[in-house]
Amino acid sequence: MNKIDRVRAALAGQPVDRPPFTVWYHFGNQHAPAAVGAQVHLDFFAHYDLDLLKLMNDYDYPMPAGMDVMATPADLARLEPFDPARTPLGTQLQAVEIVARALRGTALFVDTVFNAWNTLKRNLVREAMPALMAEHPEALEAALRVVNGNLVRYAQASLERGAAGIFLSVPATAESLTREQYERFMRPFDLELLGAIRGRGECHVVHAHGERLYIDRLLDYPAHALSWADLNGGPSLAEARRRMSLTLMAGLDHVKFADLSATLVREQVRRALAEGGRERFILAPGCSLPTYTYPPLIRAARAAVGG
């Protein structure tokens, strides 16, 4: 099977010659032009003979002009709808175009999007998020609607430029917010975004980010695959297989991977393949590998998959 057929078969629950394999990490090139970021990804993809490329997205969501922090309802009210192509996210869209041209007919790739709550927290409000959720929920919801609308436009633009799907990072975890806060400030916006791109891509992945996940609330997300850290908080691959029909994307311990021997990496792959099965399974880390991971370890994982 070629890479495209293998991934499509895994997503459809059809027989595969072997499960698809992918890994990713943050390259630290968010200061660089699109051509540089795209080529780094393409070189990474080719060197490790991956089946599916996850395009990292570390270009920033823009702060309103003249601001460097947002912490009050008045600050949040300054957020506005925008054309993603006219922001730093436009550089990522250029990278998508370059990667799409390079991989056309050869492989599929997904583009990373951090959900609205995570985008707002990481890029704009940062440490103010807990206070905003507790003290100004209506203002926060209004801000999330603006951010989510921009992310919907971004995701649609990425798919139009050649991405096979969106890898939506969802920190639905007790480390980030309470279950009640998740239900109000995260889940509705996730469902809105995924609904807006439903039918417009063939490989949408929900990445459940964290260890104490509200996993039961993610099972009805309209996506093709679920990515999570089965070895860091769970659920295990075996449990996930019993509970859901989505393609499972897990198996490698992203926390310990860089410190393991090649022998233990190969054992981890064998365990994952035994638990994940040969259908509806993509071997992948639970989250980004450390950037300093030595190449022989990733090559050992790739070799252990076979093919």
Side-chain angles (χ1 to χ4, degrees), residues 118-132:
N118 206 9
T119 294
L120 191 63
K121 181 179 185 297
R122 286 162 51 101
N123 291 267
L124 303 171
V125 306
R126 299 185 175 90
E127 69 273 7
M129 182 61 89
L132 289 170

Side-chain angles (χ1 to χ4, degrees), residues 22-267:
T22 189
V23 295
W24 59 87
Y25 52 55
H26 293 276
F27 296 101
N29 50 236
Q30 54 266 34
H31 59 281
V36 172
Q39 192 60 52
V40 167
H41 280 84
L42 292 169
D43 290 344
F44 182 82
F45 180 80
H47 181 85
Y48 294 113
D49 191 23
L50 306 181
D51 292 297
L52 175 69
L53 174 63
K54 177 185 179 297
L55 195 63
M56 307 302 283
N57 188 349
D58 292 322
Y59 294 105
D60 57 298
Y61 184 101
M63 184 79 73
M67 302 186 70
D68 60 10
V69 65
M70 305 190 78
T72 69
D75 294 339
L76 295 178
R78 294 191 57 184
L79 291 170
E80 296 180 343
F82 58 61
D83 176 0
R86 297 179 179 275
T87 74
L89 295 175
T91 307
Q92 177 75 2
L93 292 175
Q94 294 171 27
V96 168
E97 292 177 341
I98 296 169
V99 171
R101 287 196 298 269
L103 295 184
R104 185 173 294 120
T106 302
L108 303 178
F109 72 97
V110 294
D111 188 14
T112 304
V113 172
F114 297 96
N115 76 352
W117 186 93
N118 206 9
T119 294
L120 191 63
K121 181 179 185 297
R122 286 162 51 101
N123 291 267
L124 303 171
V125 306
R126 299 185 175 90
E127 69 273 7
M129 182 61 89
L132 289 170
M133 288 192 293
E135 299 169 16
H136 305 289
E138 292 83 7
L140 180 59
E141 284 178 315
L144 287 166
R145 281 192 290 272
V146 174
V147 171
N148 206 50
N150 290 331
L151 294 179
V152 166
R153 283 186 286 277
Y154 172 84
Q156 292 171 338
S158 181
L159 295 168
E160 290 169 0
R161 285 162 171 77
I166 297 300
F167 185 97
L168 183 65
S169 181
V170 179
T173 172
E175 300 101 87
S176 297
L177 70 180
T178 68
R179 182 178 284 265
E180 292 74 19
Q181 290 169 334
Y182 159 77
E183 296 288 348
R184 180 169 186 177
F185 301 119
M186 191 176 292
R187 179 178 165 87
F189 302 99
D190 295 342
L191 293 176
E192 179 184 340
L193 188 150
L194 290 168
I197 60 174
R198 195 170 190 172
R200 302 183 68 171
E202 60 178 302
C203 187
H204 297 319
V205 181
V206 171
H207 173 59
H209 182 81
E211 296 189 2
R212 292 183 289 159
L213 295 168
Y214 306 128
I215 194 73
D216 58 307
R217 300 298 288 145
L218 303 179
L219 302 186
D220 63 346
Y221 275 35
H224 303 95
L226 178 70
S227 160
W228 84 104
D230 62 300
L231 297 175
N232 302 97
S236 68
L237 276 170
E239 180 183 353
R241 180 62 73 200
R242 290 192 298 269
R243 295 178 61 185
M244 63 190 78
S245 59
L246 290 170
T247 295
L248 307 181
M249 193 169 174
L252 298 177
D253 187 343
H254 68 285
V255 174
K256 298 178 181 177
F257 190 92
D259 298 317
L260 297 178
S261 67
T263 298
L264 290 182
V265 166
R266 286 188 286 267
E267 290 181 4

